Amino acid sequence: MRFLIVLLPRLPPATYYMRRAPVPPIVVYTDAAFEPDDPRPAGLGACVYDPLAPAGHRWVVVSGETSPDVIGRWRARRQYIGQLEALAAVATYYTLADGHPPYC
């Protein structure tokens, strides 16, 4: 507590501006599935909405299977849904690395 009592008076004031962003955000929804008895047990998907994209290209929907090689690198478990949900988010983030979805 002494640390804060000494430190806080020495810090510059913090200023936060509460205003609307100059451009609307890109909205991303991701999902994953894991069904161990399915012939294709692991899948990922994403829906991306870009309000500034040209008409007809504002929504991009992608999905795919997760390679057994990827799952084979993880510790053996009965369920991998948590890992796959995280992978769906990371894969989508890196697909959108420049901030814009790939328009189909």
Side-chain angles (χ1 to χ4, degrees):
M1 189 65 149
R2 281 188 179 159
F3 173 76
L4 292 176
I5 291 171
V6 171
L7 177 67
L8 290 177
R10 291 178 168 79
L11 292 176
T15 304
Y16 298 96
Y17 297 97
M18 305 302 243
R19 60 183 174 154
R20 198 175 280 243
V23 295
I26 293 174
V27 179
V28 179
Y29 300 97
T30 61
D31 196 17
F34 184 75
E35 298 294 333
D37 298 329
D38 194 291
R40 297 175 295 173
L44 306 175
C47 297
V48 180
Y49 176 73
D50 184 351
L52 299 180
H57 295 282
R58 293 195 175 143
W59 280 100
V60 176
V61 180
V62 296
S63 65
E65 296 176 39
T66 304
S67 166
D69 294 336
V70 171
I71 295 175
R73 294 174 183 260
W74 297 337
R75 182 171 34 141
R77 305 181 145 217
R78 291 187 333 198
Q79 202 43 265
Y80 294 98
I81 192 65
Q83 294 90 329
L84 290 166
E85 294 282 359
L87 181 60
V90 170
T92 302
Y93 175 82
Y94 280 104
T95 300
L96 305 175
D98 66 354
H100 301 285
Y103 298 119
C104 304

